[in-house]
Amino acid sequence: MNVALLAHEQFPDRAKTAVGVLRYADYDVVAVLDRGTAGSRVADHVPDVQDAPVVASMDDVGADVDALVVGIAPIGGGFEESWRPDVRTALERGADVYAGLHYFLADDEEFAGLAAEHGCDLWDVRSPPEDIGVAEGTAGSVDATVVTTVGTDCSVGKMTATRELYEDAREQGMDAAFVATGQTGILIEGEGVPVDRVVSDFAAGAVEAMVLDAAEDHDYVFVEGQGSIVHPAYSGVTASIVHGSQPDHLVLCHEVGRESVHGYDQPIPPVESFPGRYEQFAGPVSDSDVVGGMLNTRSVDGDEAARDAVAEFADTIDAPADDPVRFGTESVLEAIR
Amino acid sequence: MNVALLAHEQFPDRAKTAVGVLRYADYDVVAVLDRGTAGSRVADHVPDVQDAPVVASMDDVGADVDALVVGIAPIGGGFEESWRPDVRTALERGADVYAGLHYFLADDEEFAGLAAEHGCDLWDVRSPPEDIGVAEGTAGSVDATVVTTVGTDCSVGKMTATRELYEDAREQGMDAAFVATGQTGILIEGEGVPVDRVVSDFAAGAVEAMVLDAAEDHDYVFVEGQGSIVHPAYSGVTASIVHGSQPDHLVLCHEVGRESVHGYDQPIPPVESFPGRYEQFAGPVSDSDVVGGMLNTRSVDGDEAARDAVAEFADTIDAPADDPVRFGTESVLEAIR
């Protein structure tokens, strides 16, 4: 399936979703739309993902496009009016449009009209399904090994760690599933529920339903975590994912040098306290152990220094650790098998 | 303000909201509607609340009624069609209708039409306001003492404990506010946000906004807790309230004899572990200590045995304790002052 990725003015550094799609999704990306870097190629900016030309608008995309994916989100999750011509052009060409914004494309009169006229789908990834209920506390009894990622903060790399574990597991012949809980994961996987957009009472229920479903057909279920239990705003989302998924194993994600909560004036407790925090929190609902750690070393220059950082992190949490992007997931996957 | 309380077939034992309104709200209750116990009086069933006749329908209510309050909720929170004539009659008589159901009266075509025709308000207590945002982590810096109730489970008496603490504090001349987070508390207080109905990402933000608002004008802010951090379905709501309110003090609520999670096949951890659990959970966001406990002894026969149970609970949690309904809140309030 051919997709174009909208990432105006933000590719690649502030286009987390676009880069995630380039790295992990099964889509063939035929173009990235970024009027700021038009004329370059993806490979000029991000070396280790599929390559594609960067162009200024949908008008410059010659290839057939099945879907336009909005790969960025401004603070607040609104729709930038400067993107309107691209979305309009995509729909007029018969392409679906996918977005993970708080603003729903389906609620936009012009887009809804064009989609109906041209037989296209508008997929608002962040709009949760309506048939979600209260968790029944049953995810722990599935006939599969459930692994949930947790973190010392948000934006430390939980989606990436989960996806790398899932892909590496499959490469090793393990029958693995990926449960997406956030917009980037959902866009990559093609399904999932944006837990942060689910009504609090049903958030754990949403996760439980996905785990039960995935465990029907797979031996290993990798659940994408969100936020952190020490986060002043998002700990409710984290709690719902940990208790809703009732994992056998937890994988602790951290970024080198992160010492205070992203965007908040609040120190993060010592990293060595986190395995105990998460195990004690999960404990009454499920007997979950922190089986390994994933360290994001993107700010570290040189592989040697990065290896040292990973070794120190492993020491700190007293469990095997890896950097999933830089070095892979082997030692952690070993502990899960 | 005169209200009638709808509690068909469930008064008083399964009418938690109706009994809460009778006990705590400023409303003058002119009648309880229960076709099962019509002909009796409230005082025949519940001794320590305002008295009123129990009648079979709105047609039997002679007094002027400013509002009909739906004081029960079936499992699932739907609207029982057998209540429709009462709601219809109330609206036709010019009374507002308040309800805390998942089914919103305002979405009911007949009720919306009658309300418009007769100039009445439909107040769906469980419908959260739309202007809620992400928590900014600022509740801890307010110029007021914030006290949040937490529990070993749901339905152990957190709303009652919070309300009794608030009322006793005011009687002692403390300038106190009550922050309602669930439908009964909101119906009693006349305002509040149903945190369990707020989108996960904004749940802590909803609580924070209420605390900031209450702390503007008051010295003590009592925040009604929800659920429990060991609950398989609702821990996300609990987490959002604890981290959103950043309390100075926590008050631990428990019911005598509760050993497994209400409605779930999951044991509750030893009660003595809860002060540490909540303090460790709150700790990275706010330095909150469990300053006392509230024990629900409704299942205990005799005040002497109840006093023994309270003393044992105080010992177990190593803090002063009370039964707020049976004995008052003095020892815990003492620790808060």
Side-chain angles (χ1 to χ4, degrees), chain A:
Chain A
M1 190 176 127
N2 287 355
V3 309
L5 273 174
L6 187 153
H8 284 305
E9 325 273 358
Q10 304 199 22
F11 188 79
D13 289 343
R14 288 175 297 145
K16 184 167 117 172
T17 298
V19 173
V21 168
L22 283 162
R23 178 167 285 137
Y24 298 115
D26 275 337
Y27 309 133
D28 293 315
V29 177
V30 296
V32 169
L33 275 49
D34 182 354
R35 61 177 83 90
T37 49
S40 64
R41 295 191 65 86
V42 168
D44 300 332
H45 309 279
V46 191
D48 51 351
V49 302
Q50 60 176 305
D51 194 20
V54 181
V55 301
S57 77
M58 268 306 289
D59 293 327
D60 302 325
V61 181
D64 277 348
V65 173
D66 299 304
L68 172 65
V69 176
V70 177
I72 50 179
I75 290 169
F79 182 83
E80 286 281 333
E81 279 307 315
S82 68
W83 307 341
R84 186 168 289 273
D86 291 319
V87 174
R88 188 187 292 137
T89 303
L91 292 168
E92 285 167 354
R93 287 170 59 174
D96 301 333
V97 182
Y98 304 165
L101 304 171
H102 281 296
Y103 178 89
F104 295 151
L105 301 175
D107 293 341
D108 184 288
E109 211 168 305
E110 182 184 15
F111 298 153
L114 283 170
E117 183 182 341
H118 297 278
C120 310
D121 286 333
L122 297 173
W123 184 26
D124 288 301
V125 168
R126 226 160 176 173
S127 172
E130 302 212 333
D131 60 344
I132 298 176
V134 169
E136 294 179 0
T138 55
S141 58
V142 298
D143 185 23
T145 300
V146 178
V147 181
T148 299
T149 49
V150 292
T152 55
D153 196 6
C154 47
S155 302
V156 294
K158 286 182 286 291
M159 196 286 289
T160 299
T162 316
R163 195 73 199 176
E164 293 283 349
L165 281 165
Y166 158 77
E167 293 197 344
D168 291 350
R170 288 181 76 92
E171 266 171 37
Q172 293 189 19
M174 295 159 70
D175 180 5
F178 174 81
V179 167
T181 61
Q183 67 266 31
T184 304
I186 298 169
L187 277 169
I188 291 167
E189 181 63 13
E191 62 180 6
V193 175
V195 177
D196 60 353
R197 296 295 300 172
V198 174
V199 160
S200 289
D201 244 6
F202 304 144
V207 177
E208 178 182 270
M210 287 191 284
V211 169
L212 294 180
D213 193 46
E216 287 268 308
D217 302 319
H218 300 281
D219 298 333
Y220 293 87
V221 177
F222 291 92
V223 180
E224 177 196 3
Q226 299 288 343
S228 138
I229 54 165
V230 305
H231 198 286
Y234 303 136
S235 61
V237 182
T238 311
S240 301
I241 293 175
V242 170
H243 283 164
S245 63
Q246 302 200 1
D248 298 287
H249 304 304
L250 297 163
V251 173
L252 179 68
C253 303
H254 180 55
E255 180 174 11
V256 169
R258 185 77 66 97
E259 287 179 355
S260 65
V261 176
H262 182 67
Y264 291 79
D265 179 23
Q266 179 195 306
I268 294 175
V271 173
E272 58 262 37
S273 72
F274 277 88
R277 283 177 194 281
Y278 276 110
E279 288 173 359
Q280 194 194 15
F281 181 77
V285 179
S286 62
D287 186 15
S288 313
D289 68 316
V290 173
V291 77
M294 288 293 182
L295 189 68
N296 178 340
T297 65
R298 66 181 161 184
S299 66
V300 177
D301 281 338
D303 283 0
E304 200 182 332
R307 278 195 199 282
D308 288 347
V310 168
E312 192 190 326
F313 178 56
D315 249 22
T316 303
I317 65 169
D318 196 21
D322 263 318
D323 178 328
V325 173
R326 208 155 189 164
F327 305 126
T329 64
E330 185 47 39
S331 65
V332 176
L333 211 47
E334 181 89 0
I336 290 168
R337 289 187 81 112

Side-chain angles (χ1 to χ4, degrees), chain A residues 135 198-200 235 243 264 280, chain B residues 135 196 198-200 235 243 264 280:
Chain A
V198 174
V199 160
S200 289
S235 61
H243 283 164
Y264 291 79
Q280 194 194 15
Chain B
D196 60 354
V198 174
V199 158
S200 290
S235 61
H243 283 164
Y264 290 80
Q280 195 194 16

Side-chain angles (χ1 to χ4, degrees), chain B residues 228-313:
Chain B
S228 137
I229 53 166
V230 306
H231 198 285
Y234 304 137
S235 61
V237 182
T238 311
S240 300
I241 292 176
V242 171
H243 283 164
S245 63
Q246 303 201 1
D248 299 287
H249 305 304
L250 297 163
V251 173
L252 179 68
C253 303
H254 180 55
E255 180 174 13
V256 169
R258 186 77 66 96
E259 286 178 354
S260 65
V261 176
H262 181 66
Y264 290 80
D265 180 24
Q266 180 195 304
I268 294 174
V271 173
E272 58 262 35
S273 72
F274 277 87
R277 282 178 195 280
Y278 276 110
E279 289 174 359
Q280 195 194 16
F281 180 77
V285 179
S286 63
D287 186 15
S288 313
D289 69 316
V290 173
V291 78
M294 288 294 180
L295 189 68
N296 178 340
T297 66
R298 65 181 162 185
S299 66
V300 177
D301 281 339
D303 282 0
E304 200 181 334
R307 277 195 199 283
D308 288 348
V310 168
E312 191 189 327
F313 179 56

Side-chain angles (χ1 to χ4, degrees), chain B residues 3-12 14-15 18-19 22 29-42 45 52-63 65 67-72 82-91 93 95-97:
Chain B
V3 308
L5 273 175
L6 188 153
H8 284 307
E9 324 273 358
Q10 305 200 21
F11 187 78
R14 288 176 297 144
V19 174
L22 282 163
V29 177
V30 296
V32 168
L33 276 48
D34 182 354
R35 61 177 82 91
T37 50
S40 63
R41 295 191 63 87
V42 168
H45 309 280
V54 181
V55 300
S57 77
M58 267 307 289
D59 293 328
D60 301 326
V61 181
V65 173
L68 172 66
V69 176
V70 177
I72 49 178
S82 69
W83 307 341
R84 186 169 289 275
D86 291 320
V87 174
R88 189 186 293 137
T89 303
L91 292 168
R93 288 170 57 173
D96 301 333
V97 182

Side-chain angles (χ1 to χ4, degrees), chain B residues 1-184:
Chain B
M1 190 177 128
N2 287 356
V3 308
L5 273 175
L6 188 153
H8 284 307
E9 324 273 358
Q10 305 200 21
F11 187 78
D13 289 344
R14 288 176 297 144
K16 184 168 118 173
T17 298
V19 174
V21 167
L22 282 163
R23 179 166 285 138
Y24 298 116
D26 276 336
Y27 309 133
D28 294 313
V29 177
V30 296
V32 168
L33 276 48
D34 182 354
R35 61 177 82 91
T37 50
S40 63
R41 295 191 63 87
V42 168
D44 301 332
H45 309 280
V46 191
D48 51 351
V49 303
Q50 59 175 307
D51 194 21
V54 181
V55 300
S57 77
M58 267 307 289
D59 293 328
D60 301 326
V61 181
D64 278 348
V65 173
D66 299 305
L68 172 66
V69 176
V70 177
I72 49 178
I75 291 168
F79 182 83
E80 287 282 336
E81 280 306 315
S82 69
W83 307 341
R84 186 169 289 275
D86 291 320
V87 174
R88 189 186 293 137
T89 303
L91 292 168
E92 285 168 353
R93 288 170 57 173
D96 301 333
V97 182
Y98 304 165
L101 304 169
H102 281 297
Y103 178 87
F104 295 150
L105 302 175
D107 293 341
D108 184 287
E109 213 168 305
E110 182 184 14
F111 297 153
L114 283 170
E117 186 182 336
H118 296 279
C120 309
D121 286 332
L122 298 172
W123 184 27
D124 287 302
V125 168
R126 225 157 175 175
S127 172
E130 301 210 334
D131 60 343
I132 297 176
V134 168
E136 294 180 1
T138 55
S141 59
V142 298
D143 185 24
T145 300
V146 178
V147 181
T148 299
T149 49
V150 293
T152 54
D153 196 6
C154 46
S155 303
V156 294
K158 286 182 287 291
M159 196 285 290
T160 299
T162 316
R163 194 72 198 176
E164 293 284 349
L165 280 166
Y166 157 76
E167 292 196 345
D168 291 349
R170 289 181 75 93
E171 268 171 36
Q172 293 190 18
M174 295 160 70
D175 180 7
F178 175 80
V179 167
T181 60
Q183 67 266 32
T184 304

